[in-house]
Amino acid sequence: MDIFLQQIVNGLTIGSLYALVALGYTMVYGVMRLINFAHGDLVALSAFVGLTVYTQIFGEGITSLIAVVAVFMFTAVIVAVVGVLLERLAYRPLRTAPRLSAVVSALGAGLVIQNAVMLIWGPNMKIFPSEIFPSTIWAIGGIVVTFTQVMILGLSSALMVALYFFINRTKMGTAIRAVAIDQDAAKLMGINVNRIIMVIFIIGSALGAVAGLFIGAYYRGITFDMGWMYGLNAFVAAIMGGIGNIPGAMLGGLLLGLFNAMITGYISTQWAETFTFVLLIVILVFRPTGILGEKVAEKV
Amino acid sequence: MSEYILEIKHVSKYFHGLVAINDLSMKVKKGQIYGIIGPNGAGKTTLFNCITGIYTPEEGQILWKGKEIKGTTPFKIAELGILRTFQTIRLFAEMSVAENIMSGRHIKSKQKWYNGIIHTPAYYKDEKENWEKVGELMAFFNLSEYATTPAGDLSYGIQRRIEMARALAAEPELLILDEPAAGLNENETLELTQTIRKIQAMGVTVMMIEHDMEMVMSLTEYITVINFGAKISAGLPAFVQDDPVVVEAYIGSDEEDEHE
Amino acid sequence: MMNKTSLIALALLVFMGFYPLFVDSAWLAVGTTFLVFSVVAFSQDIILGRAGVFHMGHAMFFGMGAYTTAILNVHFGWPILATWAPSVLIPMAFAFVLAGPIIHLRGDYLLVATIGFNIIFIQVLENDVFGLTGGPNGIFGIDIVRLFGIEFASQTYMYYMAFILLGIALFIMRNLDKSKFGRAMFYINKDEIAAQSMGISIRYYKLYAFIVGAGIAGAAGSMFSVQYSAVSPEAFNVTQSIMFFTIVLVGGSASLPGVLIGTFIMFVLPEVFREFETARYLVFGLAMILTMILRPRGIWPVKFGDIPSYLKKGVK
Ligand SMILES: Nc1ncnc2c1ncn2[C@@H]1O[C@H](COP(=O)(O)OP(=O)(O)O)[C@@H](O)[C@H]1O
Ligand SMILES: [Mg+2]
């Protein structure tokens, strides 16, 4: 029972991280029908940017709320700028090209970001400062919850709720949904599609940046090529939930996090990925467009 | 077997709870040219999509030579001998005209599964026959000069001819044409009328949606009029033309329908 | 145009034929691997470039062929020649079984499902299932080809075997393109609804592409395992799959010269620039983006319209 509850806490933590990253995939896919393969590498980039911001600007060993907030804000802004540049340089020129050309461009962009990180920060693992969050630990009835976990769960939930309201209750959100449904029609109604896409990349990259910082704070060791693994899991989560669907990405992330935690807790770590993909394929066999994804009949 | 090659019985089709076809019935005689008219959005194309298996209607029956074909996948419908053209032209745009028409020969080709890897004398014979048939169709539709041109590079009128040639290449029993005259000039429309007559003379049954009234009236032997997914009138062209219900439906809808 | 292409092809053939005579052993091995990778890329192209299936797990079929030869030879003592048929047939069988349930999925869903198969495959190899796959280190000591007492041991033999394999692959590609099967794949790729309406079964031809592609990749895998006399998981992971995927799109989907160019750029060029170890993949990524922007259909795009000459008579 203890393991079970503990794995639920761990699973929800990882799941929130997956969900944050999955949102970036799903929002870009929703408006551009593009799998942004570089997104995972943006997540990795943000962990390194955060590390540098923290150590260079605030100096090691400082734990203050202001410093932490500043690190998050600063990193999110930098990574959002990179995300916007990515769209401008690598994706916008390919908007009318065959779909797979943009996929290759995304793969190339991922390589560029990943190797830029390696050239700047070196090929070896870097250790994220432990003091960024207090090392407080709560032991509640046999299970352990760290301060970092509480932060991850709290902030991710808050961000997701905020995003949900932003998409569903604001004018900009409505415009985003309109572009997702039909770009041409949205254009005719006076919506600036380029601006919407820019907003999407800002939000997606910023959420990814938050996830990247949390990954640093939670796992401590960060490597230039870690984006692939987190990116793939998050992408799988987005697909499970139904790609293009925002609540689907959140649901998929949490589901995958919990499932992973249960598998590694009870069954095996060696076969964890196999279980992940078996689950994915089973879901797709029964629901070909993911759990919340809608089937769109092509108009003939 | 009855004299009707295709029978549609009380068919209804919904999209997101909205009715697109409403309890529609009709019967098409073998060898006929059968017309379907109605304002835009009436559900005509949806009906064709139901017949060709692109959509499956929620209610009713579609009988092909007396056998239920509702819910059959599109490729099997084509194998049964029902071929179609599309209102919004759907050619393989980057491929040449000849290759486009060759796709119609698919179901007639007798190549075996291993012929994709290794060629046999039977393969060469089959391949030659099919290309020759493509050549005949290009001649019939005046397309020979465009044999190697990518279909997408050609004018609207020519593309419509390619689509018909492609469907005809499969030697259909029923040819379904969705607004074949849309976007054609007067001359081209006249040519099309003659072409459709020739196709009928080959023994092919033709079903067509068309807004060009002159053409419909001169060509078809029987007409069903649809509005809001339901049949509002049916009969010989002369009867339908003067049916007040039909006149009402057309006046009630936009002017532009007639030209689109 | 046709003439120019044949001329280039002939020059290339002559060059490739004499290549082993003027290179050292390291470059000879690069040449052999280039030939093997070209074969894999062509087989990927059947699935991705022709049938238009978003398949990003092709290294798995390549690996299945390699491991089939390795396991049968090292663990069961089969001569290499005898492992050729199973190393083609086993990937084909897996292609049928694995692709069957997912082939109807929409493009991007299929992409991640095929990545998933590849990842599962790698875990099977790394976890040394049934003690057959050798875990992360793989399998060593694979034999050479022996026939009538001749031992095809030297790297030069390896090169020419791969050369013949590429010839066979090209022969099959050409036959495919000129058959109802290859054409059906193109029709499906360009417009599924129109293709179905012409009587083409989407499922049948996509599976056909998968199975033929897997078989050819398996043959290349067998050759690969003999060339290096060893196999290990990382040669067949998703990164490799992404490379084959990219080769096809950078070179030009469904274009024979395009895929060769793609293989050269994605595999041989990085070998040439080995000294610039650290920066080369950064440049590489930039090149991928630039290529797609400048040539969205690939460096040497496919040209349609290869029809019998008697149909071209009326062409003005
Ligand atoms: N795939 C679809 N999804 C939703 N609605 C559809 C679809 N196809 C057709 N419709 C709707 O069905 C109605 C009939 O359309 P259609 O058959 O194309 O009309 P027509 O061909 O008579 O102009 C229209 O309201 C159209 O919007
Ligand atoms: Mg219509």
Side-chain angles (χ1 to χ4, degrees):
Chain A
M1 196 59 198
D2 287 352
I3 299 185
F4 181 75
L5 289 176
Q6 185 67 54
Q7 287 307 86
I8 287 204
V9 173
N10 296 349
L12 285 174
T13 310
I14 306 164
S16 319
L17 298 178
Y18 289 161
L20 284 179
V21 183
L23 283 168
Y25 280 107
T26 231
M27 288 172 72
V28 168
Y29 189 91
V31 295
M32 295 175 79
R33 300 287 177 273
L34 164 74
I35 303 169
N36 179 11
F37 270 106
H39 189 56
D41 298 301
L42 278 186
V43 172
L45 169 72
S46 46
F48 284 90
V49 170
L51 175 71
T52 298
V53 170
Y54 188 75
T55 50
Q56 296 301 306
I57 299 180
F58 296 101
E60 265 179 80
I62 293 178
T63 311
S64 83
L65 188 63
I66 297 174
V68 172
V69 171
V71 168
F72 270 76
M73 301 289 267
F74 216 83
T75 307
V77 169
I78 292 176
V79 174
V81 169
V82 176
V84 169
L85 283 177
L86 175 71
E87 191 272 323
R88 276 286 161 87
L89 302 176
Y91 303 154
R92 190 174 297 183
L94 288 164
R95 229 179 266 168
T96 54
R99 280 189 59 203
L100 289 177
S101 314
V103 170
V104 171
S105 189
L107 289 166
L111 265 185
V112 171
I113 296 173
Q114 195 186 102
N115 285 280
V117 169
M118 188 192 75
L119 290 175
I120 298 170
W121 283 280
N124 300 323
M125 180 185 274
K126 290 268 182 291
I127 301 299
F128 214 76
S130 61
E131 62 279 4
I132 189 158
F133 292 132
S135 54
T136 318
I137 285 176
W138 293 281
I140 313 158
I143 64 165
V144 175
V145 183
T146 67
F147 186 89
T148 310
Q149 285 181 320
V150 174
M151 277 303 296
I152 291 175
L153 286 169
L155 192 55
S156 315
S157 313
L159 286 173
M160 286 191 256
V161 171
L163 180 69
Y164 188 83
F165 279 101
F166 173 74
I167 294 289
N168 288 297
R169 296 288 155 81
T170 64
K171 211 173 147 208
M172 178 64 85
T174 311
I176 291 175
R177 281 182 290 138
V179 173
I181 292 166
D182 188 339
Q183 256 189 45
D184 297 328
K187 221 177 263 167
L188 289 178
M189 306 207 323
I191 295 174
N192 182 342
V193 173
N194 281 340
R195 224 186 74 175
I196 295 297
I197 288 176
M198 196 174 89
V199 170
I200 289 289
F201 270 85
I202 290 173
I203 298 174
S205 309
L207 292 175
V210 172
L213 292 169
F214 277 146
I215 286 167
Y218 189 56
Y219 292 102
R220 307 284 315 283
I222 54 175
T223 56
F224 74 96
D225 58 356
M226 71 176 185
W228 164 249
M229 205 272 279
Y230 290 106
L232 186 65
N233 273 301
F235 176 45
V236 167
I239 292 265
M240 278 180 183
I243 190 139
N245 184 303
I246 288 175
M250 302 178 190
L251 178 71
L254 292 177
L255 178 74
L256 183 59
L258 283 175
F259 180 77
N260 264 348
M262 291 304 155
I263 293 295
T264 48
Y266 283 102
I267 300 179
S268 142
T269 48
Q270 274 180 327
W271 292 99
E273 286 173 332
T274 297
F275 278 100
T276 298
F277 282 99
V278 169
L279 175 69
L280 173 79
I281 288 160
V282 168
I283 289 177
L284 291 185
V285 166
F286 289 100
R287 284 200 59 93
T289 48
I291 300 170
L292 297 183
E294 281 163 44
K295 192 165 183 241
V296 271
E298 192 181 348
K299 231 171 170 178
V300 177
Chain B
M1 205 173 74
S2 77
E3 61 182 316
Y4 298 107
I5 194 168
L6 181 76
E7 292 171 80
I8 289 159
K9 292 184 170 170
H10 304 290
V11 164
S12 295
K13 170 74 199 163
Y14 303 86
F15 290 111
H16 311 292
L18 296 173
V19 66
I21 298 184
N22 191 357
D23 193 26
L24 197 62
S25 299
M26 64 182 72
K27 293 172 172 182
V28 181
K29 267 188 201 163
K30 192 169 165 51
Q32 224 170 20
I33 299 181
Y34 194 105
I36 292 169
I37 62 171
N40 264 343
K44 305 179 298 294
T45 299
T46 304
L47 171 68
F48 279 6
N49 285 333
C50 288
I51 297 172
T52 53
I54 307 275
Y55 300 148
T56 305
E58 280 79 11
E59 287 156 32
Q61 284 181 299
I62 301 174
L63 303 180
W64 171 248
K65 298 178 180 170
K67 280 215 189 78
E68 173 75 282
I69 56 166
K70 190 179 81 175
T72 310
T73 54
F75 85 88
K76 285 196 179 135
I77 299 276
E79 282 175 351
L80 290 173
I82 305 177
L83 272 290
R84 68 174 294 175
T85 66
F86 296 89
Q87 179 180 353
T88 50
I89 296 174
R90 298 190 85 115
L91 287 167
F92 311 111
E94 297 112 315
M95 301 177 81
S96 70
V97 171
E99 285 162 314
N100 268 276
I101 299 172
M102 190 64 166
S103 70
R105 294 304 297 165
H106 182 86
I107 54 177
K108 292 290 161 188
S109 165
K110 294 184 195 70
Q111 295 176 24
K112 297 286 185 303
W113 64 268
Y114 48 80
N115 287 145
I117 298 159
I118 198 142
H119 294 166
T120 56
Y123 154 86
Y124 286 107
K125 186 165 166 278
D126 176 79
E127 190 78 354
K128 187 159 176 287
E129 278 169 12
N130 288 316
W131 279 120
E132 276 168 4
K133 183 80 189 171
V134 169
E136 284 167 29
L137 280 158
M138 286 196 297
F140 181 78
F141 283 95
N142 264 327
L143 291 166
S144 302
E145 60 181 298
Y146 309 116
T148 53
T149 315
D153 293 356
L154 293 163
S155 77
Y156 210 71
I158 298 175
Q159 291 198 23
R160 288 233 176 263
R161 296 212 303 266
I162 304 168
E163 265 217 342
M164 279 181 77
R166 179 176 73 176
L168 217 54
E171 300 172 28
E173 283 184 69
L174 174 64
L175 179 65
I176 295 185
L177 306 171
D178 197 344
E179 304 199 16
L184 301 195
N185 63 34
E186 226 166 290
N187 256 337
E188 287 173 322
T189 308
L190 214 66
E191 248 175 68
L192 174 68
T193 310
Q194 281 156 8
T195 306
I196 294 175
R197 285 229 172 79
K198 280 187 211 158
I199 291 171
Q200 182 190 29
M202 295 172 192
V204 180
T205 311
V206 178
M207 250 179 123
M208 61 187 286
I209 296 172
E210 191 42 66
H211 284 306
D212 185 321
M213 280 308 158
E214 209 178 309
M215 183 182 172
V216 175
M217 292 305 155
S218 73
L219 205 52
T220 59
E221 291 155 30
Y222 199 90
I223 293 175
T224 288
V225 189
I226 305 178
N227 199 11
F228 297 114
K231 175 155 71 179
I232 56 168
S233 177
L236 300 177
F239 167 79
V240 165
Q241 195 167 23
D242 297 329
D243 189 344
V245 188
V246 177
V247 177
E248 174 76 14
Y250 269 89
I251 292 168
S253 78
D254 289 335
E255 266 284 275
E256 64 192 333
D257 288 353
E258 307 241 336
H259 305 287
E260 251 196 77
Chain C
M1 184 67 212
M2 198 56 219
N3 241 337
K4 201 172 110 199
T5 312
S6 337
L7 219 67
I8 295 173
L10 191 70
L12 192 71
L13 185 77
V14 172
F15 174 76
M16 292 306 286
F18 290 105
Y19 177 81
L21 302 182
F22 41 76
V23 291
D24 63 12
S25 64
W27 282 104
L28 184 57
V30 169
T32 308
T33 309
F34 166 74
L35 295 173
V36 173
F37 279 12
S38 308
V39 174
V40 184
F42 279 126
S43 63
Q44 163 93 58
D45 189 33
I46 293 177
I47 304 168
L48 175 67
R50 277 149 233 268
V53 177
F54 291 15
H55 168 44
M56 220 188 237
H58 202 53
M60 170 174 68
F61 297 125
F62 181 41
M64 277 179 190
Y67 269 82
T68 302
T69 290
I71 291 170
L72 290 177
N73 176 252
V74 174
H75 292 312
F76 297 97
W78 290 32
I80 298 297
L81 272 180
T83 70
W84 281 358
S87 70
V88 171
L89 294 175
I90 287 177
M92 288 172 95
F94 270 97
F96 177 69
V97 172
L98 296 179
I102 59 158
I103 200 82
H104 63 284
L105 294 178
R106 219 173 62 199
D108 308 287
Y109 291 85
L110 221 127
L111 196 99
V112 68
T114 49
I115 291 177
F117 284 140
N118 202 151
I119 286 178
I120 294 173
F121 175 67
I122 293 298
Q123 287 214 310
V124 168
L125 298 183
E126 285 183 341
N127 290 331
D128 198 10
V129 173
F130 307 126
L132 284 177
T133 59
N137 298 326
I139 301 171
F140 297 89
I142 297 164
D143 200 6
I144 49 171
V145 177
R146 296 164 199 277
L147 185 64
F148 308 127
I150 310 168
E151 299 188 343
F152 295 87
S154 77
Q155 278 299 318
T156 310
Y157 276 129
M158 299 293 174
Y159 180 89
Y160 284 111
M161 279 194 283
F163 197 67
I164 291 167
L165 182 67
L166 177 61
I168 295 170
L170 282 171
F171 173 74
I172 292 173
M173 302 295 284
R174 196 166 165 72
N175 285 351
L176 183 66
D177 282 350
K178 290 207 167 282
S179 76
K180 127 183 197 181
F181 297 85
R183 283 191 298 265
M185 288 173 198
F186 281 123
Y187 300 139
I188 290 171
N189 185 346
K190 301 299 169 203
D191 189 332
E192 283 201 5
I193 287 180
Q196 289 183 72
S197 300
M198 291 299 117
I200 298 168
S201 160
I202 308 282
R203 191 183 165 73
Y204 181 91
Y205 289 95
K206 281 187 178 173
L207 272 178
Y208 188 94
F210 245 104
I211 292 168
V212 173
I216 297 175
S222 179
M223 177 68 229
F224 190 74
S225 73
V226 174
Q227 187 202 345
Y228 289 100
S229 76
V231 290
S232 59
E234 74 273 2
F236 313 109
N237 63 20
V238 177
T239 311
Q240 291 299 109
S241 288
I242 291 175
M243 182 185 78
F244 292 124
F245 183 91
T246 309
I247 283 175
V248 168
L249 292 160
V250 164
S253 293
S255 149
L256 299 183
V259 171
L260 279 179
I261 293 170
T263 313
F264 181 80
I265 291 175
M266 299 293 294
F267 169 69
V268 181
L269 279 194
E271 293 297 321
V272 176
F273 292 111
R274 223 170 230 296
E275 296 136 61
F276 309 96
E277 182 63 60
T278 44
R280 74 182 159 147
Y281 281 107
L282 189 113
V283 177
F284 215 62
L286 285 174
M288 278 162 73
I289 299 172
L290 265 181
T291 311
M292 285 297 103
I293 290 173
L294 298 176
R295 299 199 66 90
R297 285 167 198 285
I299 293 171
W300 187 314
V302 59
K303 246 184 102 69
F304 290 104
D306 186 11
I307 57 172
S309 52
Y310 58 88
L311 292 178
K312 293 183 185 166
K313 278 191 199 120
V315 177
K316 279 170 194 155

